[in-house]
């Protein structure tokens, strides 16, 4: 499918940024929030928006907004789309940027049709959606909505010990003004995010685009196992208090406990022996636990059982273990009325739930919110293997344009 004259192709837009933030050692992209790579992407987005004559502003939480408002209407109650530009370490090219590029292309489609919006259209780019630098996912939308207290956010630190406050300041934000922003929130009359699908749903259904129904409840916990640092050669096996051995047992418990609860998913994707040397028995292991289930009570039971087993595994090795909650988001169900409207505009689009987290799920507690998913032929995400075929990307942008045209025409 070739884009009409004046309409940028999604593939072309993503091609512009294909060289930004490549990770030579992990493969794929590493674009942590406020890194040079992520800032370059924000600059690219700003440039694309300004070329289209949009008004671009960054709010006090670092969310970048680009406004199409030909009638000069008040921004309150606007239609807003968008996504994020930060990535997980070694992530794919589409998680986040597909939604941003598709938003620009959808705007081009609307203009090429001569469409006159009854309300302003905003394109929003949210910072730290992945939580890959400061640990809390959807940091920008959580700050915007007040779901995260500013003092908590400001004190979060990245793996190098840099605080969110310092990183935000270096990126041009004033940390004193970070936090719930009712004025910015009131501008969102309805939010619609397009995203690459992160599973196999659309492969199995044989469709390029889906309407989302819900986002699985999920949370993150920090698991710290403390033992005794010592010498790898001079310390007899009987004399060790090795937290890495306890961590290995704890990781097996994570898998086993999750398997005992239907629908639960539990992952340890990050595990750091400290200080970390081949000939050093670690003094401590820092590990992070990601648990997801539709029912928060089940999530709590899974985490409680993992905690019990991790503490037992630690005690067996003469170590101690603590588990601390870092974030928790209940299952989000998108607005049913909006979902039906999207299905009418996109006949044939299936309805899909997702196990991945999104800023849209945070916003769903505050404003009517929906999502569109675009087929990922590998079914793999948070990996360089994530993919979208060009025709599906263009179909997604067209679907987004049709959906936005409906929302921009009709009352909220
Ligand atoms: C983000 O993509 C998440 O699901 O953690
Ligand atoms: Mn994403
Ligand atoms: Mn992601």
């Amino acid at each position: 499918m070739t884009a009409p004259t004046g309409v940028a192709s999604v593939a072309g837009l993503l091609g512009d940024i294909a060289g930004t933030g490549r990770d030579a050692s992990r493969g794929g992209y590493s674009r942590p929030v406020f890194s040079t790579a992520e800032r370059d992407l924000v600059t690219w987005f700003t440039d694309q928006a300004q070329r289209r004559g949009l008004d671009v502003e960054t709010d006090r939480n670092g969310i970048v907004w680009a406004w199409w408002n030909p009638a000069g209407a008040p921004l309150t109650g606007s239609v807003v789309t968008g996504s994020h530009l930060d990535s997980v370490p070694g992530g794919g090219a589409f998680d986040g940027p597909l939604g941003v590029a598709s938003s620009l292309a959808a705007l081009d489609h609307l203009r090429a049709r001569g469409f006159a919006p009854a309300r302003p259209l905003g394109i929003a780019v949210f910072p730290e959606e992945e939580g890959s630098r400061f640990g809390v996912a959807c940091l920008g939308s959580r700050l915007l909505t007040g779901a995260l207290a500013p003092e908590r956010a400001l004190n979060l630190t990245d793996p190098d010990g840099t605080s969110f406050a310092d990183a935000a300041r270096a990126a041009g934000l004033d940390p004193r003004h970070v936090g719930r922003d009712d004025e910015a929130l009131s501008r969102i009359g309805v939010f619609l995010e397009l995203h690459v699908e992160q599973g196999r749903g659309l492969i199995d259904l044989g469709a390029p685009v889906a309407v989302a129904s819900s986002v699985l409840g999920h949370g993150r916990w920090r698991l710290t196992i403390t033992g005794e640092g010592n010498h790898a050669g001079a310390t007899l096996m009987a004399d060790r208090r090795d937290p890495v051995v306890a961590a290995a047992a704890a990781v097996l418990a994570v898998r086993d406990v999750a398997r005992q609860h239907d629908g639960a998913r539990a992952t340890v994707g990050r595990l750091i022996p400290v200080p970390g040397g081949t000939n050093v028995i670690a003094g401590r292991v820092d590990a992070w636990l990601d648990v997801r289930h539709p029912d928060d009570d089940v999530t709590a039971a899974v985490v409680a059982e993992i905690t019990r087993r991790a503490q037992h595994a630690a005690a067996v090795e003469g170590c101690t273990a603590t588990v601390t909650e870092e974030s928790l988001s209940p299952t989000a169900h998108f607005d049913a009325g909006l979902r039906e409207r999207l299905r009418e505009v996109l006949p044939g689009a299936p309805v899909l739930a997702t196990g991945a987290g999104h800023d849209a799920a945070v916003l769903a507690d505050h404003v009517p919110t929906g999502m569109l998913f675009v087929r990922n032929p590998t079914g793999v995400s948070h990996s360089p293997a994530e993919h979208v075929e060009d025709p599906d990307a263009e179909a997604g942008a067209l679907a987004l344009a049709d959906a936005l045209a409906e929302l921009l025409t009709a009352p909220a």
Side-chain angles (χ1 to χ4, degrees):
M1 189 188 309
T2 325
T5 312
V7 178
S9 72
V10 177
L13 288 164
L14 291 177
D16 288 351
I17 56 173
T20 306
R22 278 192 184 276
D23 190 322
S25 59
R26 296 183 177 104
Y29 294 94
S30 292
R31 296 160 164 170
V33 70
F34 301 146
S35 65
T36 305
E38 190 255 10
R39 290 294 96 182
D40 286 350
L41 296 188
V42 169
T43 301
W44 162 82
F45 170 72
T46 303
D47 178 58
Q48 287 291 334
Q50 286 173 340
R51 281 195 216 177
R52 289 167 171 78
L54 309 187
D55 294 326
V56 183
E57 59 181 354
T58 302
D59 72 15
R60 49 197 176 85
N61 291 307
I63 302 164
V64 183
W65 305 80
W67 293 103
W68 182 39
N69 186 11
L75 295 182
T76 309
S78 300
V79 176
V80 179
T81 186
S83 194
H84 62 99
L85 292 168
D86 64 302
S87 79
V88 293
F94 300 91
D95 178 355
L98 182 71
V100 176
S102 300
S103 301
L104 294 164
L107 170 73
D108 292 347
H109 276 296
L110 295 178
R111 282 176 160 169
R113 293 175 191 172
F115 179 82
R119 296 195 271 167
L121 173 67
I123 303 177
V125 176
F126 291 90
E128 185 67 327
E129 188 266 0
E130 300 290 3
S132 57
R133 180 165 178 191
F134 292 100
V136 176
C138 301
L139 196 68
S141 54
R142 284 187 209 260
L143 283 169
L144 168 73
T145 56
L148 183 70
E151 43 293 349
R152 169 102 205 285
L154 293 171
N155 287 313
L156 293 170
T157 52
D158 71 4
D160 295 330
T162 304
S163 68
F164 179 73
D166 285 345
R169 193 180 293 107
L173 299 180
D174 186 336
R176 292 171 305 175
H177 298 147
V178 158
R180 183 177 170 119
D181 187 343
D182 288 322
E183 206 268 319
L185 196 54
S186 74
R187 295 174 175 188
I188 312 177
V190 54
F191 182 70
L192 179 61
E193 178 173 1
L194 178 146
H195 203 278
V196 61
E197 205 219 338
Q198 296 177 279
R200 301 187 50 84
L202 283 167
I203 304 175
D204 296 342
L205 291 163
V209 178
V211 174
S213 54
S214 60
V215 167
L216 187 65
H218 56 104
R220 295 182 183 190
W221 289 260
R222 180 188 288 256
L223 167 62
T224 305
I225 303 182
T226 307
E228 182 182 50
N230 212 332
H231 193 287
T235 315
L236 298 180
M237 298 311 284
D239 294 340
R240 296 179 180 215
R241 293 166 49 212
D242 186 343
V244 175
V245 177
V251 170
L252 292 176
V254 168
R255 182 198 59 186
D256 294 345
V257 172
R259 282 184 172 172
Q260 286 160 7
H261 292 81
D262 202 28
R265 296 148 201 206
T267 308
V268 176
R270 198 168 152 224
L271 189 147
I272 304 174
V274 181
T278 305
N279 54 353
V280 179
I281 300 166
R284 191 180 85 228
V285 170
D286 292 328
W288 284 263
L289 173 66
D290 179 308
V291 179
R292 308 189 188 211
H293 191 276
D295 180 342
D296 286 350
D297 289 342
V298 176
T299 300
V302 167
V303 174
E305 179 62 7
I306 288 172
T307 304
R308 197 189 64 72
R309 294 225 209 162
Q311 286 175 336
H312 175 72
V316 167
E317 299 302 325
C319 302
T320 55
T322 58
V323 176
T324 315
E325 182 182 304
E326 300 229 303
S327 61
L328 183 62
S329 306
T331 294
H333 296 277
F334 291 122
D335 186 88
L338 175 58
R339 193 166 67 226
E340 284 320 303
R341 282 171 77 186
L342 294 172
R343 292 191 68 196
E344 278 166 29
V345 178
L346 306 172
V351 175
L352 274 185
T354 180
H358 298 286
D359 290 304
V362 176
L363 293 174
D365 274 349
H366 301 267
V367 291
T369 299
M371 288 188 78
L372 301 178
F373 295 133
V374 177
R375 176 165 52 194
N376 171 1
T378 66
V380 174
S381 187
H382 285 182
S383 150
E386 175 186 280
H387 189 61
V388 174
E389 297 288 349
D390 290 353
D392 284 359
E394 303 315 327
L398 212 45
L400 181 61
D402 292 345
L404 293 174
E406 152 72 12
L407 299 175
L408 287 162
T409 304

